[in-house]
Amino acid sequence: MDSSQARVVAAPADTSGLVLGAAGTGKTSAILARTSRLLRDGEVGPDDVLILTPTRQTATDLRDRVTADLDIATPGPLARSVASFAFQIVRARAVAAGDPLPQLLTAPEQDAVIADLLEGDEADAEDGGASRWPESLGTAVRRSRAFRSELRALFALATELGLAPADLERLGAERNNPVWSAAGSFWSEYRYVLSRLRPTHRDPAEMLREATEILHRAPVAGVPRVLMVDDAQELSWGAVALLEAARIRDIAVLAFGDPDVGSGAFRGAGPETFARLASMFSERFVLQHPYRSRSTLVRVARTVAGSIGTAGAAGHRMAPDAGLPPAERDDVPGADGEISTMWASSPHEEFDGIARALRSWHVTEGLPWHALAVIAHDTRQVARLTAELAAREVPTRAASAARPLGEEPAVRGLLQLVRLGMAPPSERPAEELAAALTSPFGGLDAIGLRRLRAVLRTQEFAGRAGELQPNFSPKRWRSLLRCC
């Protein structure tokens, strides 16, 4: 720990404040060290300290890291997502009141309900009913997964802002926005269906709002008295409101963040939310030593950030190691390095410039290909860069983006085979059987499928179709032949 981190780690357990630090200044390391110190010194018990993060993925990572070197038994995970913390509060309240226990409505479950309701809208329109959706949102748009995701995001943000379906319809009428009006009407129907089918289920936004209201009304048993928040700049409106309610209940909140970094805008995070969070605290800490970057790169990044407006805090925008004693500064020889900029008039010129620079470093400076990297904005650019650089004689290897296991072709094909095997022979769709035969597991190509079709047709004409599958009716064989 440098001296700026040490001040955070040594702060008393009841300290509430904002810890600012640019990227790579050790915010997460300070959180882990502070948690370990509080538990080892006995200032708090394992039940009274919790690390919060905006997402479940980062919470899982911190959960493993905080317990790796900790020889103290804990009753549960020491790191959780904000939504999980809200669920804990709502569940504790339900247990105390003897109400049915709440359940979290997952994104796939929400997507399935929304898809069913959209299909109902489509069926009503085909039967002659008036469509609630404007013409700009046609049937093809409403059938897409992206549209359903946008609806979920709209409902979540409206919930966090305290809006009801009627409010969304009213705002649509006032601002002449038919999309909002249609979404408000659809949202009302969606909530009605959920209240009938799944009365105990709540989506994450509803869970956050309900937990906030519970904390405003009365204290809740079992809630930790020390909260530390990592990546606080990624918090949504609902998460910030929950932390405000926690401060009302005298729960210590220490939020760590960098307002110049943000990737959670699609969840409602933004400069305004961080400014609201910063206004909660009078005490502030600033982490000053950059651990992951050379000083030249740090200066460039902070110069660019300094030309952009800030929300709530700007104390982290300082020269590298400013305010630190000389012994803690990064005085590695050659640490400055060199940064150059290239302006391209077209994407093709940009690809040419990147390939030229990579080849130059490899040939003239002797750098191996595996020591060179190209950083892109998103995975779509990565895919195009891979193809374009390979065409320019630059060997490339791209890390594939993580996908849900169910979307992998091999997994989908295997699950389809399992489903077909579990279904009764008379209920196996011919189209799915043909797809299974031509899958990597079936091993047939188009020619093999035609040969199978010829064999089946010959045996059916000879009245021997049952020899291949005793439980498969001739009608089903004919269906398979038509499919083939």
Side-chain angles (χ1 to χ4, degrees):
M1 298 288 107
D2 60 55
S3 57
S4 63
Q5 288 176 305
R7 284 192 294 270
V8 176
V9 175
D14 60 352
T15 300
S16 290
L18 185 67
V19 181
L20 295 170
T25 52
K27 298 184 289 296
T28 303
S29 298
I31 289 179
L32 299 177
R34 174 175 167 79
T35 303
S36 178
R37 185 195 70 79
L38 291 175
L39 292 174
R40 294 182 187 279
D41 294 351
E43 288 193 39
V44 298
D47 289 332
D48 290 327
V49 61
L50 185 63
I51 303 173
L52 297 180
T53 70
T55 64
R56 178 177 55 84
Q57 291 83 354
T58 53
T60 302
D61 176 63
L62 284 180
R63 183 182 309 161
D64 297 336
R65 293 173 61 185
V66 74
T67 56
D69 299 324
L70 198 63
D71 54 357
I72 299 174
T74 60
L78 295 179
R80 308 179 70 169
S81 67
V82 178
S84 176
F85 177 56
F87 180 83
Q88 174 188 351
I89 295 174
V90 176
R91 189 182 188 280
R93 181 63 176 172
V95 170
D99 296 333
L101 297 182
Q103 299 184 55
L104 185 64
L105 188 67
T106 63
E109 292 172 334
Q110 288 179 272
D111 188 81
V113 174
I114 291 176
D116 289 342
L117 293 177
L118 289 173
E119 287 181 7
D121 283 354
E122 187 176 339
D124 292 342
E126 291 176 354
D127 293 339
S131 175
R132 79 175 99 207
W133 301 101
E135 294 183 0
S136 58
L137 299 177
T139 302
V141 174
R142 300 199 303 272
R143 289 178 178 176
S144 65
R145 178 181 299 180
F147 179 73
R148 298 194 298 271
S149 299
E150 290 290 336
L151 278 180
R152 293 203 314 270
L154 175 62
F155 297 162
L157 184 56
T159 300
E160 292 181 356
L161 295 176
L163 298 176
D167 298 323
L168 195 57
E169 288 189 71
R170 176 180 52 81
L171 288 172
E174 292 177 355
R175 304 191 180 190
N176 194 25
N177 190 325
V179 176
W180 282 11
S181 299
S185 173
F186 182 85
W187 188 20
S188 178
E189 183 177 337
Y190 167 76
R191 293 180 63 174
Y192 175 80
V193 170
L194 284 181
S195 66
R196 291 294 184 269
L197 296 178
R198 302 180 180 183
T200 61
H201 284 68
R202 299 161 178 84
D203 62 39
E206 293 172 335
M207 199 74 72
L208 283 173
R209 184 161 185 81
E210 186 171 348
T212 302
E213 294 173 351
I214 291 173
L215 285 180
H216 275 294
R217 288 197 299 265
V220 179
V223 176
R225 60 186 181 91
V226 176
L227 298 177
M228 286 174 284
V229 187
D230 198 13
D231 290 332
Q233 74 279 354
E234 306 290 357
L235 296 177
S236 63
W237 286 105
V240 173
L242 180 62
L243 295 180
E244 290 176 340
R247 289 294 303 123
I248 293 176
R249 293 298 161 200
D250 292 328
I251 298 173
V253 178
L254 197 60
F256 295 69
D258 177 6
D260 293 331
V261 176
S263 60
F266 66 97
R267 290 189 297 264
E272 299 82 5
T273 56
F274 190 82
R276 178 178 171 182
L277 177 68
S279 65
M280 293 168 47
F281 308 109
S282 57
E283 187 165 1
R284 299 189 178 183
F285 303 86
V286 179
L287 303 185
Q288 299 164 334
H289 180 72
Y291 286 95
R292 289 205 308 257
S293 298
R294 301 291 180 91
S295 57
T296 301
L297 184 59
V298 172
R299 289 190 181 93
V300 170
R302 295 185 183 179
T303 300
V304 173
S307 63
I308 304 172
T310 186
H316 61 294
R317 292 178 176 177
M318 61 180 68
D321 296 335
L324 286 179
E328 298 180 8
R329 297 180 183 179
D330 186 8
D331 294 328
V332 180
D336 283 348
E338 179 180 312
I339 295 177
S340 59
T341 304
M342 180 190 73
W343 294 93
S345 59
S346 68
H348 295 288
E349 184 179 341
E350 181 181 3
F351 294 136
D352 288 339
I354 294 174
R356 189 181 309 113
L358 294 173
R359 288 195 301 265
S360 174
W361 290 335
H362 176 67
V363 174
T364 63
E365 300 185 23
L367 293 175
W369 289 116
H370 65 78
L372 307 177
V374 180
I375 301 174
H377 180 266
D378 54 39
T379 54
R380 291 173 298 181
Q381 287 183 332
V382 169
R384 188 175 181 188
L385 273 167
T386 302
E388 294 288 348
L389 292 180
R392 289 164 174 79
E393 300 180 355
V394 175
T396 59
R397 182 181 60 189
S400 59
R403 294 191 300 178
L405 191 60
E407 292 186 4
E408 295 290 343
V411 176
R412 285 204 308 269
L414 185 59
L415 291 177
Q416 184 64 20
L417 281 178
V418 172
R419 282 193 291 266
L420 286 172
M422 295 176 63
S426 59
E427 298 180 4
R428 295 169 184 167
E431 295 81 3
E432 295 184 10
L433 286 172
L437 289 172
T438 55
S439 70
F441 301 100
L444 291 183
D445 54 12
I447 296 176
L449 191 60
R450 285 197 295 270
R451 288 174 178 172
L452 175 62
R453 178 189 62 186
V455 172
L456 295 177
R457 181 174 296 170
T458 300
Q459 294 195 357
E460 185 183 20
F461 289 157
R464 295 186 293 112
E467 294 181 4
L468 291 180
Q469 176 55 267
N471 297 323
F472 214 50
S473 66
K475 181 179 180 182
R476 184 63 63 184
W477 280 117
R478 285 192 292 272
S479 176
L480 177 59
L481 290 175
R482 285 194 299 269
C483 176
C484 294

